[in-house]
């Protein structure tokens, strides 16, 4: 049976093969009729275009449109990277996507120019329900409110019905007023990567107008960046970046839980008063009253130096003349009284009465009075200190004439030139300007500084000109070197006035005369005198510090006195007493500028001025190498910089006392001015192995052949500090 079955099966297979072969050789026959088309399938999900947002290095947001109907706002916006590629994939269900919207409306005071943003969607901040902060709509709370168009464009429909919602702060939505929609996003991934962005859109819902509408523009973020870096103004953990977002959130309604106003005008003025903000206690005594607010980490007092313009608050440092600002003069026309009380803590409150329930300070006071404080400085800018007839005798006596003139060329009298305590009318004589000024050992600053009210050095003539003759230790070839005569003096004016007055008057107010230094080469009067190498952009100093720096100031010529090798000074405590440890500090300009309070409050910067961003002060100028940023290495060879040997927290050479002076070669000194107490032994060895010197031998510091610039270009230096040119 088994054999038979296999035989039969094989026969059938052979027969089938023959038949198929025959079919292949014959006629195929006619094609059959086509069948009917099938039913359409379900549509697939739309494709995506662009880059998924979780893959982006940065996100740029832009609100393109908003619409309003029956109490509901819908906003259209787009997200893209710097190359303009759309970023899709934003989702309320993604735990990393912290993306939210805020609303604020602009309220104007009837019969007044005063206007203020008032937040909507407010939330209470204390248990009693009496203090408020701006609330938000978050996409994670309404996933379905967000529509992703898969190409970097999105639509979001607010879930709040604005005409029926009960705002805790009692703000009623008015579609006839300018409304501001603001985006706030901050993504913090587990990898440490972050995305943060703000955007805003102003429009009137009732008319759908977004052009030519009422707004409130007093200052710009760019003005803030005069003193701050962008990184230092990334508030609330880095999620709030733009002035417009700050304005809409920090408005006239919001306070901390203790009812302390955090309205932007009040808060900014109060913070910038720093330790100078004062008030009265319950007994009427004037006491320090730094601005103190309750934060998430507890109460925080802004009791540290915060505004470097001295000796008065220069409002125009922030309220600049900028014609692009629609409301640049609003602070003068009708100031917000809440802003006034940021500085004037208690007196305005005493003025409040039934006659002035809104506490409108400008009903009686002109805000322009703040500018009056600057009048002496503005007048002094037109004054001049003219040096003539400079000569140096074989006996090493320098002689010259000096005329201090006003804007009309009239000479200033001796009693109108200020002298009190440390502030004396000096003329500082220097040479080797292009080499960062004289060697301190040859001629210390105390010898080169001439007090023009010292009768042993200067004579005031009957016409109010001054004749000076002083001996000092000049180099033998002084006639062929660059010579500088720098006047550093103040003239007295009536307080808040441009009128000059005797300095012994009760209302006398001294202001610096800022004039160019006299520079020459004595044996070649036609020679072009070398200037100091480009280090800093002096205008950036004035933009932040206003008219006056720490002390005796004529422009930014600090190194004429604070030479690189000037002797060390004592480190003092908060009371001005020298530390018992004997710790010393460098008094050179570079060290003082890097260590100045406000410039550096610790390793990495103050949080206000980020010292790691060199371009804060070292702005690009044309000069050395085509483009000079002022921090190129390798261009100051031959200098010796004094640095303290004492390094807190490090094991020091027991042979060196804490007061010992070291000398460093230029590039090493530049790094040590910030990093000395943090330098590891390996880092110090790295500098020495590349030609740098620091130690007790001044001549070796001068002769050092540093190779730092080979690797550490300006671009690399910025990258090391977390920035880019």
């Amino acid at each position: 049976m088994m054999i038979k079955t296999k035989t039969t099966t094989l026969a059938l297979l052979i027969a089938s093969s023959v038949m198929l072969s025959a079919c292949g050789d014959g006629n195929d026959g006619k094609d059959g009729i086509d069948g009917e088309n099938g039913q359409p399938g379900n549509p697939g999900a739309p494709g995506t275009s662009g880059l998924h947002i979780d893959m982006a290095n940065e996100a740029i947001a832009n609100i393109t449109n908003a619409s309003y109907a029956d109490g509901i706002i819908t906003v259209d916006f787009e997200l893209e990277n710097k190359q303009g590629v759309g970023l899709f994939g934003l989702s309320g269900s993604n735990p990393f996507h912290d993306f939210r919207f805020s609303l604020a409306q602009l309220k104007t005071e009837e019969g007044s120019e005063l206007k203020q943003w008032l937040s909507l969607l407010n939330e209470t901040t204390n248990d009693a329900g009496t203090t408020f902060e701006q609330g938000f709509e978050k996409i994670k709370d309404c996933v379905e409110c967000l529509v992703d168009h898969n190409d970097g464009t999105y639509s979001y429909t607010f879930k709040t019905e604005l005409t029926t919602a009960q705002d805790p702060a009692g703000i009623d939505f008015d579609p006839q007023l300018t409304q501001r929609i603001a985006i706030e996003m901050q993504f913090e991934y587990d990898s440490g990567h972050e995305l943060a962005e703000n955007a805003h859109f102003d429009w009137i819902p009732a008319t759908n107008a977004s052009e030519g509408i009422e707004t409130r523009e007093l200052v710009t973020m760019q003005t803030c960046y005069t003193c701050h870096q962008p990184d230092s103004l990334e508030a609330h953990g880095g999620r709030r970046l733009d002035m417009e977002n700050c304005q809409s959130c920090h408005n006239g309604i919001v306070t901390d839980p203790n009812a302390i106003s955090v309205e932007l005008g009040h808060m900014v003025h109060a913070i910038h008063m720093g330790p100078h903000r004062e008030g009265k206690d319950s007994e009427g005594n004037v006491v320090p009253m730094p601005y103190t607010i309750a934060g998430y980490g507890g109460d925080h007092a802004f009791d540290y130096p915060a505004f470097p313009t001295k000796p008065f608050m220069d409002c125009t440092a922030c309220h600049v003349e900028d014609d692009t600002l629609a409301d640049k003069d609003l602070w003068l026309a009708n100031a917000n009284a809440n802003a006034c009380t940021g500085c004037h803590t208690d007196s305005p409150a005493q003025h409040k009465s039934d006659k002035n329930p809104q506490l409108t300070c400008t009903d009686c006071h002109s805000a322009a009075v703040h500018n009056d404080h600057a009048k002496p400085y503005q007048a002094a800018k037109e004054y001049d200190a003219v040096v003539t007839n400079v000569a140096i005798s074989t006996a090493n006596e320098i002689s010259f004439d000096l005329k201090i003139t006003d804007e009309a060329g009239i000479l200033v009298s001796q009693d109108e030139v200020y002298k009190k305590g440390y502030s004396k009318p000096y003329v500082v004589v220097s040479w080797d300007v292009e080499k960062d000024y004289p060697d301190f050992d040859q001629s210390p600053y105390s010898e080169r500084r001439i007090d023009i009210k010292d009768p042993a050095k200067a004579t005031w003539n009957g016409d109010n000109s001054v004749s000076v003759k002083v001996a000092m230790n000049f180099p033998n070839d002084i006639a062929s070197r660059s010579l500088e005569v720098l006047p550093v003096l103040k003239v007295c004016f009536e307080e808040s006035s441009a009128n000059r007055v005797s300095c012994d008057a009760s209302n006398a107010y001294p202001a610096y005369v800022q004039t160019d230094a006299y520079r020459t080469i004595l044996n070649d009067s036609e020679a072009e005198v070398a200037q100091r190498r480009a280090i800093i952009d002096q205008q950036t100093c004035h933009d932040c510090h206003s008219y006056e720096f720490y002390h005796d100031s004529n422009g930014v010529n600090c190194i004429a006195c604070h030479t690189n090798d000037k002797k060390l000074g004592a480190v003092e405590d908060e009371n001005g007493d020298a530390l018992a440890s004997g710790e010393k500090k460098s008094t050179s300009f570079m060290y003082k500028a890097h260590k100045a309070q406000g410039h550096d409050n610790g390793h990495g910067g103050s949080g206000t001025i980020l010292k790691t961003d060199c371009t804060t002060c070292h702005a690009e100028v044309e000069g050395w190498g085509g483009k000079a940023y002022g921090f190129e290495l390798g261009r100051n060879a031959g200098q010796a910089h004094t640095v303290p040997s004492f390094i807190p927290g490090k094991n020091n050479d027991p042979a060196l006392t804490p007061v010992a002076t070291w000398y460093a070669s230029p590039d090493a000194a530049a790094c040590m001015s910030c990093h000395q107490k943090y330098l590891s032994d390996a880092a110090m060895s790295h500098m020495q192995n590349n030609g740098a010197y620091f130690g007790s031998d001044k001549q070796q510091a001068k002769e050092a052949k540093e190779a730092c610039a080979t690797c550490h270009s300006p671009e690399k230096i910025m990258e090391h500090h977390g920035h880019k040119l």
Side-chain angles (χ1 to χ4, degrees):
M1 293 293 293
M2 293 289 292
I3 295 172
K4 183 178 181 181
T5 301
K6 288 184 176 181
T7 303
T8 304
T9 303
L10 180 61
L12 289 172
L13 289 173
I14 293 172
S16 298
S17 175
V18 172
M19 293 174 66
L20 289 171
S21 176
C23 290
D25 295 334
N27 192 338
D28 291 340
K30 295 181 178 180
D31 294 335
I33 299 173
D34 293 338
E36 295 181 359
N37 293 330
Q39 296 296 319
N42 294 325
T48 58
S49 173
L51 178 70
H52 194 283
I53 194 168
D54 289 341
M55 303 296 292
N57 292 323
E58 71 281 319
I60 301 171
N62 180 41
I63 298 176
T64 57
N65 190 44
S67 58
Y68 169 76
D70 300 325
I72 300 294
I73 290 176
T74 298
V75 57
D76 300 321
F77 63 99
E78 57 189 16
L79 301 173
E80 60 184 24
N81 64 12
K82 289 181 179 179
Q83 288 71 43
V85 177
L87 305 178
F88 65 86
L90 177 66
S91 171
S93 59
N94 188 321
F96 297 115
H97 291 185
D98 184 352
F99 198 99
R100 55 185 71 177
F101 298 87
S102 66
L103 293 174
Q105 66 183 15
L106 188 66
K107 180 185 177 183
T108 58
E109 295 286 347
E110 188 174 348
S112 164
E113 294 181 65
L114 186 62
K115 47 189 174 181
Q116 180 63 275
W117 289 105
L118 301 177
S119 53
L120 300 167
L121 312 177
N122 294 297
E123 299 175 354
T124 57
T125 57
N126 66 1
D127 294 338
T130 56
T131 60
F132 311 97
E133 66 180 3
Q134 185 184 51
F136 298 88
E137 283 215 5
K138 305 174 183 179
I139 63 172
K140 68 178 182 179
D141 294 334
C142 187
V143 176
E144 67 278 8
C145 293
L146 179 70
V147 177
D148 181 358
H149 301 297
N150 291 316
D151 59 358
T153 64
Y154 300 84
S155 298
Y156 179 84
T157 301
F158 281 73
K159 65 179 181 179
T160 303
E161 211 279 72
L162 294 168
T163 58
T164 60
Q166 296 296 313
D167 189 278
I171 304 302
D172 295 325
F173 172 74
D174 186 346
Q176 303 291 334
L177 299 178
T178 299
Q179 305 290 330
R180 171 169 291 172
I181 304 171
I183 286 175
E184 181 181 293
M185 65 171 284
Q186 185 182 37
F187 300 173
E188 296 179 325
Y189 297 95
D190 290 339
S191 64
H193 177 54
E194 293 188 17
L195 289 179
E197 174 67 339
N198 289 170
H200 73 282
F201 184 79
D202 294 351
W203 110 114
I204 299 176
T207 63
N208 207 36
S210 59
E211 299 290 337
I213 62 176
E214 193 73 50
T215 185
R216 188 175 189 269
E217 297 177 339
L218 277 77
V219 294
T220 67
M221 206 68 171
Q222 197 60 42
T223 301
C224 300
Y225 293 154
T226 302
C227 296
H228 300 265
Q229 277 75 56
D231 287 354
S232 71
L233 292 181
E234 293 178 355
H236 298 276
R239 68 168 62 253
R240 294 176 189 166
L241 315 170
D242 292 349
M243 177 67 72
E244 293 79 8
N245 286 54
C246 297
Q247 288 174 330
S248 59
C249 185
H250 288 274
N251 57 76
I253 296 170
V254 294
T255 70
D256 78 347
N258 298 323
I260 301 297
S261 174
V262 292
E263 183 264 330
L264 191 63
H266 180 91
M267 181 176 70
V268 168
H269 286 94
I271 288 174
H272 285 132
M273 284 293 287
H276 303 294
R277 191 172 187 263
E278 296 177 335
K280 293 181 180 178
D281 61 18
S282 57
E283 298 178 356
N285 301 309
V286 176
V287 295
M289 192 177 287
Y291 183 58
T292 305
I293 56 175
Y296 292 108
D299 288 354
H300 180 81
F302 292 89
D303 55 358
Y304 41 84
F307 197 58
T309 62
K310 296 189 315 180
F312 59 88
M313 295 294 286
D314 182 9
C315 305
T316 58
C318 297
H319 294 285
V320 298
E321 281 293 324
D322 186 344
D323 291 334
T324 65
L325 293 173
D327 305 294
K328 66 182 179 68
D329 296 324
L330 183 61
W331 68 284
L332 292 171
N334 196 329
N336 174 9
N338 199 34
C340 298
T341 56
C343 298
H344 305 282
T345 55
D346 66 324
S347 293
Q350 297 171 357
H351 290 36
K352 191 172 183 179
S353 66
D354 293 339
K355 294 181 180 179
N356 190 12
Q358 297 300 320
L359 192 60
T360 306
C361 304
T362 49
D363 283 356
C364 302
H365 303 280
S366 169
V369 72
H370 292 84
N371 282 346
D372 290 344
H373 292 292
K375 287 182 177 178
Y377 286 89
Q378 292 167 345
K381 288 175 67 175
E382 304 302 321
Y383 279 53
D384 204 356
V386 181
V387 176
T388 57
N389 303 322
V390 179
I392 298 177
S393 70
T394 56
N396 262 355
E397 284 186 326
I398 185 171
S399 60
F400 56 87
D401 295 325
L402 176 69
K403 294 181 179 180
I404 307 164
T405 61
D406 63 14
E407 73 282 358
I410 299 173
L411 271 64
V412 177
S413 66
Q414 183 175 3
D415 62 1
E416 295 170 330
V417 176
Y418 186 72
K419 178 177 180 177
K420 183 178 181 181
Y422 184 87
S423 292
K424 299 175 183 178
Y426 292 133
V427 174
V428 181
V429 178
S430 303
W431 51 92
D432 291 347
V433 177
E434 69 280 9
K435 298 179 181 178
D436 283 359
Y437 293 88
D439 189 312
F440 184 81
D441 287 345
Q442 179 185 20
S443 186
Y445 164 62
S446 58
E447 180 182 288
R448 297 184 292 107
R449 180 186 66 198
I450 302 169
D451 179 355
I452 61 172
K453 281 198 171 185
D454 182 345
K457 299 178 179 180
T459 301
W460 285 76
N461 304 311
D463 63 352
N464 287 324
S465 64
V466 185
S467 298
V468 176
K469 180 179 286 189
V470 176
M472 61 183 66
N473 187 28
F474 290 106
N476 294 331
D477 58 349
I478 185 63
S480 62
R481 298 194 183 196
S482 59
L483 180 70
E484 177 182 277
V485 182
L486 173 68
V488 182
L489 54 90
K490 296 178 181 178
V491 171
C492 292
F493 298 87
E494 294 178 357
E495 189 172 5
S496 300
S497 168
N499 298 325
R500 195 165 67 248
V501 69
S502 174
C503 292
D504 59 7
S506 60
N507 64 341
Y509 190 97
Y512 286 105
V513 174
Q514 297 197 357
T515 185
D516 291 336
Y518 174 85
R519 287 176 177 164
T520 189
I521 296 176
L522 291 175
N523 65 3
D524 187 358
S525 59
E526 301 298 322
E528 182 176 344
V529 184
Q531 301 293 308
R532 189 191 179 209
R533 60 197 177 97
I535 301 292
I536 57 175
D537 182 347
Q538 297 187 15
Q539 190 57 46
T540 64
C541 301
H542 283 288
D543 287 344
C544 191
H545 288 268
S546 188
Y547 295 100
E548 184 175 330
F549 300 112
Y550 181 67
H551 64 202
D552 295 343
S553 173
N554 176 11
V556 191
N557 291 302
C558 309
I559 197 172
C561 306
H562 295 278
T563 56
N564 294 328
D565 60 342
K566 190 174 181 179
K567 66 181 181 180
L568 299 177
V571 177
E572 300 171 344
D573 60 21
E574 58 185 11
N575 297 318
D577 298 322
L579 296 180
S581 66
E583 184 178 346
K584 293 288 186 174
K585 63 182 178 181
S586 174
T587 58
S588 74
F589 178 41
M590 179 178 68
Y591 261 77
K592 290 180 73 68
H594 286 172
K595 295 295 185 183
Q597 194 171 29
H599 290 192
D600 173 34
N601 291 335
H603 194 203
S606 65
T608 300
I609 292 180
L610 300 181
K611 193 174 60 175
T612 56
D613 185 357
C614 307
T615 57
T616 303
C617 302
H618 297 283
E620 178 186 321
V621 294
E622 292 299 324
W624 184 85
K627 286 186 177 179
Y629 292 91
F631 53 89
E632 293 87 350
L633 299 179
R635 63 190 184 115
N636 194 27
Q639 287 283 314
H641 294 246
T642 54
V643 296
S645 66
F646 182 68
I647 307 176
K650 292 185 67 68
N651 294 323
N652 295 284
D653 185 340
L656 297 174
T657 67
V659 298
T661 298
W662 280 359
Y663 294 96
S665 49
D667 291 353
C671 297
M672 292 171 73
S673 66
C674 296
H675 296 285
Q676 183 177 2
K677 75 177 187 177
Y678 305 103
L679 285 176
S680 65
D681 292 337
M684 297 174 80
S685 296
H686 171 76
M687 289 193 290
Q688 290 175 315
N689 291 337
N690 284 278
Y693 174 84
F694 45 89
S696 58
D697 192 319
K698 183 174 183 178
Q699 190 59 34
Q700 286 192 54
K702 289 184 175 183
E703 295 174 354
K705 305 298 182 183
E706 296 176 306
C708 308
T710 304
C711 298
H712 297 285
S713 66
E715 291 79 8
K716 290 292 185 182
I717 292 172
M718 289 294 285
E719 288 178 10
H720 295 331
H721 293 89
H723 300 273
K724 290 184 178 181
L725 284 178

